[in-house]
Amino acid sequence: MASADFAEAPAPAYRLLPFRFDRWNEREVLLVNDVGDSAFLSAPTFDALIGHRLPPTSPDYLELKSKLFLSDADPTIAIDLLATRYRTNKSFLSGFTELHLFVVTLRCDHSCPYCQVSRVKEGGSRWDMSQETAERAIDLMFRSLSPALKVEIQGGEPLLRFDLIRFIVDRVLERNRVEGRQIEFVIATNLAPLDDKMLAYLKERSILLSTSLDGPAPLHDANRPRPGRDSHALVEKNLARARTALGHDRVSALMTTTERSLAQPQEIVDEYVRLGFDSIFLRSISPYGFAVRTGAAARYQTCQFLDFYRVALDRIVDWNRRGTPIREVYAQILLTKMLTPFPTHYVDLQSPGGAGTGAVVYNYEGDVYASDEARMLAEMGDFTFRLGNVHRNSYEEIFGGETLRSLVASSVLESLPGCNRCAFLPFCGGDPIFHHRTQGDPIGHRPTSAFCAKNMGILRHLFERLRSGDRFEIDLLTSWATGLSAPRFEVEAPE
Amino acid sequence: MSLRLQTQGRPSPTLRANVLGRISLVPVEREVRGDTVRLVRGEECDADLDGYAGILTAAEAPETTPAAPSISRARYLDHLSAGDIVLLQPTGGVRTLFRPASPHNSIFTTDRCNSYCVMCSQPPRKIDDSERIVEHLRLIELIASGAPSDIPRELGITGGEPTLLGDDLLRIVERCRDLLPATALHILSNGRLFYYGSFARKLGEIAHPDLMIGVPLYSDLDVEHDRVVQAPGAFGQTLIGLQNLGRFEVPVEVRVVLHRMTIERLLPTVEFIYRNLPFATHIALMGLEPIGLAVKNLDALWIDPRDYAETLEAATLHLAARGLHVSIYNHPLCAVPKSLWRFCRRSISDWKNEYLEDCADCTVRGRCGGFFASAVERRGVLRLTATPIAL
Amino acid sequence: MSDEVGVTVDTSLHSRRAIFEACYKLTDRAFVTLARDRENPSLLIVGFRARQGSLDPSIAGVFVNELIDQEIRGALDREMAPIRDLIVAQAFAEGNLLDSLRDEGDYGEDPLGIGRLR
């Protein structure tokens, strides 16, 4: 076999620049370099490349040279370009903590089995955040150097303590008069308690809403039970109210996939379209909180999720063909990494990971966690990823302490077994908290990791679509990555 | 139209060095005569001609005491208007350096260049013209002291290669910042000397309010780019230069001239630009001007734009879809697909801009950039045609 | 379908890292054991036993191909390591590690002759 004697190849006329590869199928190899540029080669061409026998006039050679997979002249130019690209890819690090989640209460009127938040029945303020705790959390937030800060208020159901929301928002804005950052507010809510007074305040302060919509009513209500079994109806009603008051694009929705959802990919997409959303985030179920207790997470395989995902994505592309714009957010994040030189800010797809660094959670009683998931583990008695407490620890202890340091260390893909030689490394993340939960240690076991299988499945699927899709589909997926509408469909503007 | 920018006459013995001045067709007060070149027409007779920077006439030299620097028996003068800034040379040359009526004014900083592009429209000369910095700075002063309505919206800095002026280029940019703060400055450069980071840094530190550097990149491959510019190592130097300009926040435009040596790899080239130079604020895809060195190499270079319509469309839309501002320069609208019209600009400088006879029947002539005068001149060889569009 | 498959690997031809990487990759579908051949200690016996149900015997072929690929990856990593390190170092360095002239070079003096007239 040719590859075996590459060690004895003649002196190289070209240098290989860093890349990783994947045997795409029997005939082809996928190469991805350290900054996320990719190329497909036939197996024999790949052998010639690594054996330093690829002829310099061949089209493959020129493509690889252009894409910075090889260099045949002074390599410092290519190294400089790659270094600049690498720094841009990792530039999400420079702002450090951008996303700050405030859990203002654990109380909630829903009892969703997959809930990532341990909800307690309504009643009593011992499950609510105090103003003092909020104040201290805000202090810590402004210690971050990021010029842009995103404040996400969640719960339980945060609207149950709207007064606290007002307190936090007003305090942050007051502090920001001196700080001068770019601040964005989001409230993650099931919309049920929404009233006009709240809407007036939200409008005044330009606060965004993010809600859960799991699909059409029967599915949504089955996934997200509340007394009255009318979660969906309430979402639909209050969605309309919120949009009227705040603006159509000021309310976004997330969905969570359960076993029930797996059979209804098209119906879920159709429901998002029906309710006027232009984006949908197809998330897999997380193994935390009540999800584990009710056994929901244990029940399905990643390949079933991938089947679901592919069918849903087909449906989404189809809607776009028919003139209804809707994009899938997870695909958008991955496509941004594949097709553009720009970084993304989704914490679970970063190396080093974004948990605790890019995003942090301040719990109602002041405990600080690296993520929602870390907080959920604590609810179950596992405090591994608690970074500290706003009342007892300093900024340095929380953000510079051993807990966060080892968490970050276990999320640097370049140093993890199974990841460091994977062709998809530039597009992926580690999610140590997920692996701690499902496999018993933060590094985890790649071959049986559901997170890995999901990401590899979706990435392979997206590469396939880009290779074999028609012009429309390729332009569509590209437009998701670049955030722009595909120019072919623009009406020519008169000059 | 193509306009005259040069004429010739007889210099007076007192015209011993280059003189710059603003054309006036009427006498002016003493205080401003030092900035003025008095263009004396026909039988005009001023009370006195003292103190002018220079005198220009088609007639015999005027008699003045002391003898003013003058050029007499000038062959042509009709091309000159009040407010134009001219250069009177001891050789008798009269060069128009600035025309308020034109949207395309440039300071021609030097004849020297460190590249030698196969299609160079302004072939370089190895002469030491570094003392001309005095004239460039004077020109900026004169532009700035003209009538307020004559202050240009945009000013080019060209050559040759302006970066060869080194610190003098920085002085030019500074003077423009100080005297022409409302004028956008567009420097055309091969970018190679910005390999030295300190040069890019100092340019950035001037903090000119509206500066852009236009830098050509002809390929995604070093050998191809270097072959076009005929300077080994240029590709790498230009890329490092561009990176440095980006680092120090100097706005950058990347230009690709389209001809036989560049068109084949246009799509990989624009993808390369997108991936590696995403900070570029503008990309210009430019039609070839058949003048200068391009004429010598015309057979190897010229390709009718209709023959690369598909490639141009793919490349332009590729960039536009990625959020880069793209313009197509020097292409008449009938030569490109309609999908690209919104990217086409009227880019050809007015003084060398012409249309063909058939263009008279075209309904979109008003927004079309037309042709280079030099292309129209060679329309036979180039098989140049215009297809009137009926909308 | 068998319950256990064994593959003999000559450790003089294959690196330890490649062997472990290939074994690691297959631990989703098999339990993997490693043992030295008693007669010839340079030979390693890699044993695969089904995690669930019976074992697909093609696992042996999958393993040996993966082994080759991991050798390639190891060789590529060694070849690319210096440039990879340089890229990361340069990405986060304050100055320019590649050519100090880019930071310190005087554009007036032009030590590299970039401004040489053509």
Side-chain angles (χ1 to χ4, degrees):
Chain A
M1 176 179 147
S3 311
D5 49 35
F6 62 81
E8 282 109 60
Y14 56 86
R15 254 200 188 84
L16 293 176
L17 298 172
F19 65 83
R20 297 174 179 83
F21 74 90
D22 178 272
R23 292 267 170 206
W24 193 250
N25 52 38
E26 267 145 34
R27 298 175 312 281
E28 293 179 288
V29 183
L30 167 67
L31 286 73
V32 183
N33 71 10
D34 278 12
V35 297
D37 291 347
S38 56
F40 282 89
L41 296 181
S42 71
T45 306
F46 178 71
D47 282 349
L49 170 70
I50 61 174
H52 292 267
R53 287 174 281 111
L54 193 61
T57 50
S58 69
D60 284 318
Y61 184 99
L62 299 180
E63 180 189 348
L64 291 170
K65 182 168 161 175
S66 171
K67 290 182 174 179
L68 306 175
F69 282 84
L70 61 82
S71 163
D72 55 16
D74 174 10
T76 63
I77 306 297
I79 292 172
D80 201 289
L81 291 176
L82 288 166
T84 304
R85 297 273 307 274
Y86 196 85
R87 183 171 50 240
T88 305
N89 276 356
K90 303 291 184 189
S91 63
F92 60 85
L93 292 169
S94 60
F96 202 52
T97 322
E98 268 188 15
L99 176 58
H100 300 261
L101 297 101
F102 290 70
V103 178
V104 297
T105 180
L106 291 193
R107 292 184 282 134
C108 183
D109 57 343
H110 282 53
S111 14
C112 313
Y114 54 68
C115 182
Q116 293 198 38
V117 173
S118 271
R119 64 279 183 276
V120 299
K121 295 297 178 209
E122 301 182 63
S125 65
R126 62 178 287 240
W127 306 109
D128 300 349
M129 185 179 263
S130 71
Q131 286 192 353
E132 208 207 324
T133 302
E135 191 82 65
R136 294 210 175 209
I138 293 169
D139 282 343
L140 283 175
M141 176 174 87
F142 278 110
R143 291 290 302 273
S144 166
L145 294 172
S146 178
L149 295 170
K150 187 164 168 187
V151 176
E152 185 169 320
I153 299 175
Q154 53 181 59
E157 172 45 58
L159 294 185
L160 293 177
R161 281 302 306 270
F162 198 76
D163 58 311
L164 256 174
I165 294 177
R166 294 178 71 120
F167 176 79
I168 290 171
V169 171
D170 289 346
R171 265 319 266 141
V172 168
L173 288 175
E174 193 187 317
R175 286 282 303 265
N176 199 45
R177 279 207 284 269
V178 171
E179 294 278 346
R181 322 282 184 100
Q182 234 182 307
I183 312 260
E184 192 181 279
F185 294 102
V186 184
I187 301 176
T189 166
N190 58 40
L191 293 182
L194 199 65
D195 67 34
D196 288 334
K197 270 185 68 184
M198 292 180 191
L199 284 172
Y201 180 80
L202 296 174
K203 167 118 192 141
E204 203 189 325
R205 297 281 188 272
S206 301
I207 299 174
L208 297 163
L209 292 178
S210 168
T211 192
S212 282
L213 177 67
D214 281 10
L219 172 61
H220 178 102
D221 289 334
N223 272 357
R224 301 174 59 78
R226 73 185 293 275
R229 303 263 146 198
D230 59 349
S231 177
H232 185 279
L234 273 172
V235 168
E236 187 161 356
K237 180 178 99 178
N238 286 338
L239 178 64
R241 280 173 80 191
R243 278 174 166 162
T244 307
L246 307 177
H248 185 97
D249 295 327
R250 308 293 290 176
V251 189
S252 61
L254 295 176
M255 58 85 68
T256 304
T257 313
T258 60
E259 246 199 37
R260 274 182 216 106
S261 315
L262 291 181
Q264 305 183 38
Q266 295 173 328
E267 291 80 351
I268 293 171
V269 172
D270 291 353
E271 182 68 3
Y272 267 72
V273 170
R274 185 181 79 82
L275 289 176
F277 289 104
D278 67 358
S279 73
I280 177 171
F281 195 150
L282 296 172
R283 300 194 301 172
S284 52
I285 197 171
S286 302
Y288 303 102
F290 288 109
V292 172
R293 297 221 279 263
T294 56
R299 269 205 299 264
Y300 76 86
Q301 307 285 334
T302 310
C303 53
Q304 284 180 282
F305 173 77
L306 289 172
D307 285 339
F308 164 85
Y309 185 87
R310 281 188 280 266
V311 175
L313 200 56
D314 274 339
R315 188 63 159 198
I316 289 169
V317 173
D318 215 54
W319 274 109
N320 280 279
R321 281 189 203 280
R322 288 185 271 155
T324 301
I326 175 162
R327 80 193 126 88
E328 202 282 302
V329 177
Y330 203 69
Q332 176 181 23
I333 295 166
L334 292 172
L335 289 164
T336 302
K337 293 165 180 279
M338 289 155 69
L339 300 176
T340 84
F342 301 113
T344 55
H345 295 263
Y346 182 66
V347 299
D348 291 339
L349 288 173
Q350 285 172 350
S351 171
T357 54
V360 77
V361 175
Y362 309 102
N363 205 9
Y364 70 101
E365 73 323 35
D367 281 349
V368 183
Y369 292 92
S371 70
D372 270 350
E373 291 77 19
R375 204 190 60 78
M376 266 334 302
L377 287 178
E379 293 289 334
M380 287 150 50
D382 179 349
F383 293 87
T384 310
F385 302 107
R386 178 172 60 182
L387 304 180
N389 184 286
V390 305
H391 296 288
R392 292 190 291 279
N393 299 108
S394 67
Y395 179 83
E396 288 74 15
E397 283 166 350
I398 293 171
F399 289 98
E402 193 44 47
T403 309
L404 185 55
R405 280 176 194 278
S406 60
L407 178 59
V408 171
S410 57
S411 69
V412 179
L413 298 181
E414 288 81 352
S415 65
L416 301 183
C419 292
N420 69 352
R421 290 180 167 190
C422 177
F424 297 120
L425 182 150
F427 310 130
C428 207
D431 208 346
I433 298 173
F434 176 92
H435 288 111
H436 169 91
R437 173 71 192 133
T438 56
Q439 297 186 317
D441 82 87
I443 290 175
H445 182 247
R446 278 306 157 275
T448 53
S449 159
F451 180 77
C452 174
K454 176 189 82 172
N455 284 333
M456 286 185 62
I458 295 180
L459 281 161
R460 280 188 204 286
H461 184 62
L462 292 175
F463 269 107
E464 282 298 348
R465 280 191 184 262
L466 288 171
R467 295 186 82 199
S468 59
D470 62 10
R471 185 80 254 167
F472 177 91
E473 190 168 348
I474 293 172
D475 284 352
L476 178 69
L477 293 175
T478 305
S479 74
W480 291 357
T482 61
L484 300 159
S485 57
R488 280 164 206 279
F489 312 114
E490 272 173 27
V491 175
E492 192 204 314
E495 209 147 297
Chain B
M1 72 192 113
S2 39
L3 294 169
R4 173 173 300 285
L5 292 177
Q6 174 115 351
T7 185
Q8 188 75 19
R10 175 183 294 185
S12 68
T14 43
L15 184 56
R16 283 187 277 272
N18 285 350
V19 162
L20 279 88
R22 189 182 355 269
I23 293 284
S24 177
L25 303 176
V26 298
V28 298
E29 318 89 70
R30 289 205 167 260
E31 304 87 70
V32 298
R33 286 188 184 183
D35 289 347
T36 308
V37 167
R38 173 78 174 92
L39 198 165
V40 180
R41 288 209 157 119
E43 296 307 313
E44 284 174 351
C45 189
D46 287 20
D48 76 277
L49 289 169
D50 278 352
Y52 284 103
I55 317 267
L56 189 55
T57 176
E60 292 299 326
E63 283 171 23
T64 60
T65 312
S70 70
I71 289 181
S72 56
R73 300 222 216 140
R75 289 190 65 193
Y76 302 98
L77 288 179
D78 288 343
H79 60 285
L80 293 171
S81 310
D84 287 356
I85 298 174
V86 294
L87 179 77
L88 306 183
Q89 296 170 299
T91 53
V94 181
R95 285 179 49 198
T96 308
L97 297 187
F98 176 79
R99 292 168 43 241
S102 169
H104 306 112
N105 284 293
S106 289
I107 301 178
F108 184 83
T109 56
T110 177
D111 268 302
R112 292 168 289 149
C113 191
N114 53 345
S115 291
Y116 199 67
C117 301
V118 296
M119 67 286 185
C120 183
S121 57
Q122 190 74 43
R125 298 192 292 157
K126 286 186 188 182
I127 57 169
D128 183 4
D129 51 10
S130 49
E131 348 69 70
R132 278 162 53 188
I133 179 65
V134 177
E135 289 165 25
H136 305 322
L137 296 175
R138 178 82 180 116
L139 176 59
I140 296 167
E141 263 174 29
L142 284 169
I143 294 173
S145 60
S149 55
D150 287 352
I151 303 286
R153 288 225 319 250
E154 189 179 308
L155 188 61
I157 309 280
T158 63
E161 175 49 50
T163 55
L164 292 174
L165 270 63
D167 284 330
D168 283 344
L169 176 62
L170 299 175
R171 289 168 71 192
I172 289 175
V173 176
E174 264 167 8
R175 176 107 11 141
C176 287
R177 176 197 66 193
D178 295 339
L179 299 184
L180 294 168
T183 301
L185 210 57
H186 194 188
I187 303 179
L188 296 184
S189 165
N190 59 36
R192 293 170 59 196
L193 275 169
F194 293 116
Y195 182 93
Y196 298 108
S198 56
F199 200 10
R201 178 174 49 78
K202 287 190 187 170
L203 184 59
E205 281 169 357
I206 294 173
H208 188 285
D210 194 352
L211 174 68
M212 170 113 92
I213 318 255
V215 178
L217 199 72
Y218 297 120
S219 179
D220 55 328
L221 299 175
D222 52 0
V223 289
E224 298 302 326
H225 175 91
D226 288 355
R227 188 174 306 159
V228 173
V229 308
Q230 301 189 98
F235 182 73
Q237 292 157 5
T238 300
L239 283 174
I240 302 297
L242 284 165
Q243 302 259 23
N244 281 337
L245 290 168
R247 264 171 70 199
F248 295 110
E249 296 180 338
V250 179
V252 153
E253 159 193 272
V254 180
R255 316 183 119 211
V256 188
V257 177
L258 305 178
H259 54 60
R260 275 197 196 282
M261 290 172 75
T262 60
I263 199 68
E264 203 188 302
R265 293 197 68 85
L266 185 62
L267 201 46
T269 300
V270 300
E271 172 68 0
F272 180 87
I273 292 170
Y274 172 66
R275 292 263 185 173
N276 295 294
L277 305 167
F279 53 84
T281 51
H282 185 231
I283 315 286
L285 302 175
M286 308 174 53
L288 178 66
E289 184 176 3
I291 201 171
L293 292 182
V295 175
K296 268 184 21 180
N297 304 313
L298 210 51
D299 284 340
L301 294 175
W302 183 261
I303 167 171
D304 190 316
R306 288 173 190 78
D307 292 341
Y308 58 66
E310 240 181 75
T311 303
L312 181 60
E313 184 178 30
T316 306
L317 296 181
H318 185 93
L319 289 169
R322 283 152 181 76
L324 290 162
H325 289 120
V326 200
S327 294
I328 296 173
Y329 288 174
N330 313 337
H331 286 70
L333 294 179
C334 58
V336 304
K338 194 159 175 208
S339 58
L340 299 184
W341 284 7
R342 72 183 202 273
F343 302 101
C344 292
R345 315 284 172 233
R346 301 185 61 175
S347 52
I348 299 176
S349 302
D350 60 347
W351 47 273
K352 51 182 179 178
N353 187 205
E354 274 180 31
Y355 294 79
L356 297 180
E357 300 81 28
D358 288 341
C359 298
D361 300 326
C362 182
T363 54
V364 294
R365 189 196 183 291
R367 52 185 260 214
C368 174
F371 299 88
F372 283 109
S374 50
V376 173
E377 223 178 278
R378 291 179 180 76
R379 49 147 96 64
V381 164
L382 300 177
R383 285 196 275 262
L384 216 60
T385 56
T387 312
I389 307 226
L391 278 182
Chain C
M1 296 276 183
S2 46
D3 285 328
E4 189 158 341
V5 170
V7 178
T8 307
V9 178
D10 186 341
T11 58
S12 68
L13 291 178
H14 292 289
S15 69
R16 200 186 178 99
R17 173 86 189 262
I19 295 169
F20 275 108
E21 289 274 359
C23 289
Y24 182 73
K25 228 173 178 176
L26 298 182
T27 50
D28 59 334
R29 65 201 88 165
F31 292 113
V32 184
T33 55
L34 296 170
R36 286 207 184 277
D37 184 302
R38 251 161 283 161
E39 269 126 64
N40 186 348
S42 73
L43 294 181
L44 200 61
I45 318 288
V46 182
F48 298 98
R49 199 164 66 245
R51 281 181 81 119
Q52 273 162 353
S54 23
L55 191 65
D56 185 343
S58 73
I59 195 166
V62 172
F63 173 74
V64 297
N65 279 356
E66 186 61 39
L67 188 55
I68 300 281
D69 273 353
Q70 291 299 343
E71 292 287 8
I72 294 174
R73 289 192 175 96
L76 287 177
D77 281 352
R78 280 190 295 281
E79 190 180 334
M80 296 165 179
I83 291 192
R84 186 167 260 153
D85 289 344
L86 199 46
I87 289 168
V88 178
Q90 173 68 6
F92 299 110
E94 284 298 321
N96 197 298
L97 303 175
L98 299 168
D99 179 359
S100 60
L101 285 175
R102 293 185 203 175
D103 289 335
E104 286 143 39
D106 186 321
Y107 51 93
E109 278 164 26
D110 189 13
L112 293 166
I114 295 175
R116 197 162 62 85
L117 300 182
R118 310 294 304 178

